Amino acid sequence: MAAREGIVRPVWAAAGLVPTLTVAAFVNHLNVIAHLNVIAWNPFLPFIAEAHGIGIAILGQLPALLLVLSAVLGLVIGPLADSYGYRPTMVLSLLAVAASSSRHDRLAAEPRV
């Protein structure tokens, strides 16, 4: 594929993209509880419900809520990415994920009374 004239991209900038995305996807699948990963959620419902003192039926509604929220946010973030660019949108999204994961870790570490 021939590069367009006037666009120069350093090779090192794209060299780590595929390994970085691969590691990110792998870590996302390992981090089941913090991100409510729908794929591996169901077998752990009884244990998580018991640990938090809520019913399994209520806890089972969270993956559906996650998918609905993802659809709604996709409709909002898509036009924002088109307006401001994809890189700033991705950086902001990654910072939001890091902040929410950090908050979840702090809440999980607090002792329950």
Side-chain angles (χ1 to χ4, degrees):
M1 204 167 167
R4 284 189 267 161
E5 205 171 299
I7 297 177
V8 178
R9 296 178 192 247
V11 175
W12 60 266
L17 183 62
V18 171
T20 302
L21 291 175
T22 303
V23 169
F26 177 72
V27 169
N28 184 37
H29 285 291
L30 288 179
N31 200 358
V32 175
I33 297 171
H35 295 287
L36 303 175
N37 194 339
V38 178
I39 295 170
W41 177 259
N42 290 334
F44 300 105
L45 284 178
F47 305 108
I48 297 170
E50 182 182 343
H52 292 286
I54 58 176
I56 296 174
I58 297 295
L59 193 61
Q61 293 175 4
L62 285 177
L65 178 64
L66 171 72
L67 293 174
V68 169
L69 184 63
S70 179
V72 170
L73 286 177
L75 294 173
V76 172
I77 292 175
L80 287 176
D82 290 338
S83 298
Y84 295 107
Y86 294 107
R87 182 184 171 131
T89 307
M90 286 298 292
V91 169
L92 185 63
S93 299
L94 287 173
L95 289 174
V97 168
S100 67
S101 295
S102 158
R103 176 76 178 142
H104 177 272
D105 292 341
R106 281 194 305 260
L107 287 176
E110 291 178 5
R112 296 188 69 178
V113 178

